[in-house]
Amino acid sequence: MKKITFTLNGESRTVAVAPHEVLLDVLRDKLGVKSPKVGCERGDCGACTILLDGKPVRSCLILAVEVEGQEITTLEGVGRDGPTPLQESFIRHNAFQCGFCAPGIVLAATALLEKNPKPTAHEVQEAISGNLCRCTGYEAIIESAVEAGRQGTARARKPAARKSANR
Amino acid sequence: MSIACEFDYRKPKTLSKAIKLLAKRGRDARVLAGGTDLVGWLRDSLVAPDLLVDIKGFEELKGIGFKNRALVLGALATFSDVLESELVAQHFPLLREMAGMVASNGVRNRATVVGNICSAVPCCDAGPVLQVYNAVVHVRGPNGKRRVPIGQWFLGPRKTAIRPGEIVTSVTVPLPAKKAAGCFVKLKRYRGEDLAQASVAVLAFSGREYRLAFGAVAPIAVRGPRTEALLKGQKLSAGLLEEAGKLAVEEIVPITDIRSTKEYRSLMVEVMVRRALKTAAARLAGRGPAYGINVMEEDTP
């Protein structure tokens, strides 16, 4: 076993892992972070997406030992102070049905908006191209992310200013 | 489904230490960079190493540069790095076109170009494009450095010219000596991410010279020397394109697998060669569609 320390959603975490343990399983089973989902386990479906040093990656294709010293953000870290403007936009558009793909898609779109605050529909499509939704909700998902960008909510990770009168 | 085999993991401080470690452990050890292939292979028990040597810490293997009139893709340069590189966009647009068609953003953020040619699966996307650019693979091992032309790199499915103890440090892509334009065509079962059923890379040079290479239709990414000879110095008439497509099919040895039949691959390569040649020639003339479009989805002949 090796002891590794990394930042998980803003907090330093230390955990003992065997080299063959996959990051996705360690996050879920050893650290109790359940938003990354176990889907295809071969990098195709995007359900296990996490942000590693700010970039969306497949946690099913990373060994836990590899992330020593790095920064990981999961959905739990994105919405910890309440839903972000992007998440609010997803809610307004009723963009998810079963929600299995949602953590991955929210993270992929969050990373996109941080890099490119006003993406086109095509750019959103490209950013989430490896995140499969089997409820076929892509249109609403894409529109949500485009609208979040259009409304100038570039700081996608900050929670939305609550204007309950508008809802 | 977790990884069944157990192995040791080391992340040496220096490249020379990594090479020493790899040389000592020989075929029991494997180099780990992005891991998008390797971790999948470990899951599927396709490989069972005793040791993984993580090379991600080495600064000298990171990034994309330009030296001696060649693009230098460090061993740790990811496909996302390629897509974000201004240098690549300006001078190696064919490389960029290919990188944009590899898997998905989440995989490209991790997968390296060098890893792609080290995995050396027949459908690897980088293979055909590096073939037409006449790229060179730079290797460092216990006996020093050596350079392997890309044409001698691939030996068979998942087999390369690398020797035990060696690490690929970079792949260099020479800047074409003449004005050039290219086209990469990737045939997939559906839009979005998929491995290639077949791929064709064309690099067209001023003076009517053409280089062609194919992916997923032979044990390795291969050039099409007979088709190149047929086209040399010629204007791309409809008749010549037809002939080139037919000749290209004779230069490949496709098989039937889960993604396609060999018959379909052959039929489609003929079409892909015509479209790739036409598109590359149009781009060379300053016309033609922007890089990044899928010419298999267009209504061209």
Side-chain angles (χ1 to χ4, degrees), chain B:
Chain B
M1 189 188 60
S2 47
I3 294 172
C5 93
E6 295 195 6
F7 46 80
D8 195 11
Y9 168 91
R10 298 276 291 277
K11 194 172 180 181
K13 289 265 185 295
T14 64
L15 184 55
S16 51
K17 274 190 186 148
I19 289 167
K20 267 190 203 136
L21 195 56
L22 286 165
K24 204 171 105 188
R25 301 289 286 265
R27 294 189 191 280
D28 294 336
R30 291 199 77 112
V31 172
L32 172 66
T36 51
D37 277 331
L38 184 55
V39 175
W41 293 2
L42 288 166
R43 281 180 177 281
D44 292 345
S45 301
L46 288 175
V47 292
D50 291 333
L51 171 70
L52 295 190
V53 179
D54 190 343
I55 61 166
K56 282 194 287 295
F58 305 143
E59 288 300 321
E60 65 264 49
L61 304 189
K62 287 180 185 166
I64 296 174
F66 193 77
K67 207 177 149 190
N68 302 329
R69 295 192 61 75
L71 185 78
V72 183
L73 296 166
L76 295 171
T78 63
F79 285 101
S80 291
D81 291 338
V82 170
L83 286 170
E84 285 165 15
S85 161
E86 203 44 50
L87 200 61
V88 172
Q90 278 200 2
H91 301 295
F92 301 91
L94 178 61
L95 195 61
R96 186 174 202 278
E97 178 162 69
M98 176 275 295
M101 294 183 195
V102 174
S104 60
N105 182 39
V107 173
R108 292 194 294 258
N109 279 338
R110 195 94 178 147
T112 64
V113 179
V114 164
N116 197 234
I117 62 165
C118 286
S119 295
V121 293
C123 65
C124 89
D125 291 324
V129 167
L130 293 177
Q131 283 276 17
V132 295
Y133 273 121
N134 279 341
V136 177
V137 185
H138 298 255
V139 178
R140 232 176 102 176
N143 303 318
K145 297 177 183 176
R146 63 189 183 103
R147 299 153 51 99
V148 185
I150 193 76
Q152 296 164 25
W153 175 251
F154 299 110
L155 302 181
R158 298 172 201 245
K159 284 203 177 68
T160 68
I162 201 156
R163 298 169 189 151
E166 286 183 329
I167 288 180
V168 177
T169 51
S170 68
V171 57
T172 53
V173 188
L175 189 68
K178 291 185 206 168
K179 193 180 164 210
C183 181
F184 180 67
V185 187
K186 179 172 172 177
L187 186 71
K188 301 180 284 188
R189 287 168 291 186
Y190 38 83
R191 285 183 183 195
E193 55 171 349
D194 191 18
L195 299 174
Q197 294 175 297
S199 66
V200 172
V202 165
L203 198 56
F205 298 86
S206 62
R208 293 174 180 166
E209 239 180 87
Y210 306 87
R211 290 188 201 147
L212 276 86
F214 313 97
V217 288
I220 60 172
V222 287
R223 283 275 287 272
R226 288 167 60 202
T227 312
E228 291 176 9
L230 169 78
L231 294 166
K232 192 170 169 139
Q234 304 294 318
K235 188 172 184 293
L236 294 184
S237 64
L240 185 64
L241 283 172
E242 188 111 333
E243 220 182 314
K246 289 197 162 37
L247 184 57
V249 174
E250 292 178 22
E251 304 206 71
I252 58 173
V253 276
I255 58 165
T256 295
D257 68 10
I258 191 169
R259 288 193 300 284
S260 180
T261 62
K262 61 182 179 195
E263 291 82 4
Y264 182 67
R265 287 189 155 108
S266 290
L267 288 165
M268 291 308 286
V269 161
E270 192 181 330
V271 180
M272 291 160 75
V273 163
R274 284 204 306 263
R275 292 193 186 182
L277 282 167
K278 234 179 131 169
T279 307
R283 284 172 176 166
L284 187 64
R287 298 177 277 114
Y291 283 92
I293 68 136
N294 183 347
V295 299
M296 297 313 286
E297 288 175 11
E298 304 292 302
D299 294 327
T300 46

Side-chain angles (χ1 to χ4, degrees), chain A residues 11-162:
Chain A
E11 284 172 27
S12 178
R13 301 294 294 264
T14 300
V15 61
V17 296
H20 68 278
E21 284 186 89
V22 174
L23 180 59
L24 171 63
D25 301 330
V26 169
L27 288 173
R28 289 179 58 87
D29 302 337
K30 288 195 165 167
L31 295 167
V33 172
K34 301 284 191 182
S35 75
K37 300 292 180 234
V38 181
C40 70
E41 294 187 273
R42 49 192 312 119
D44 290 336
C45 78
C48 70
T49 299
I50 57 160
L51 300 184
L52 184 61
D53 290 341
K55 286 183 183 171
V57 295
R58 303 280 182 265
S59 66
C60 74
L61 293 181
I62 296 174
L63 302 171
V65 283
E66 291 181 74
V67 302
E68 166 73 39
Q70 290 189 282
E71 192 183 317
I72 289 177
T73 305
T74 65
L75 190 69
E76 287 86 346
V78 168
R80 65 180 1 187
D81 303 319
T84 64
L86 175 67
Q87 286 175 304
E88 298 275 10
S89 185
F90 281 127
I91 295 166
R92 266 197 312 281
H93 286 85
N94 199 16
F96 298 112
Q97 270 184 50
C98 85
F100 195 80
C101 71
I105 289 184
V106 171
L107 288 170
T110 298
L112 172 69
L113 286 172
E114 289 193 348
K115 216 167 74 177
N116 175 4
K118 286 193 194 303
T120 62
H122 178 76
E123 287 166 336
V124 174
Q125 205 175 354
E126 192 54 41
I128 64 164
S129 64
N131 292 84
L132 305 186
C133 164
R134 295 294 84 156
C135 307
T136 67
Y138 294 119
E139 290 301 321
I141 290 168
I142 292 166
E143 181 50 31
S144 307
V146 170
E147 194 187 282
R150 244 196 335 254
Q151 292 180 342
T153 48
R155 289 186 304 281
R157 284 200 217 182
K158 294 259 169 67
R162 299 226 166 229

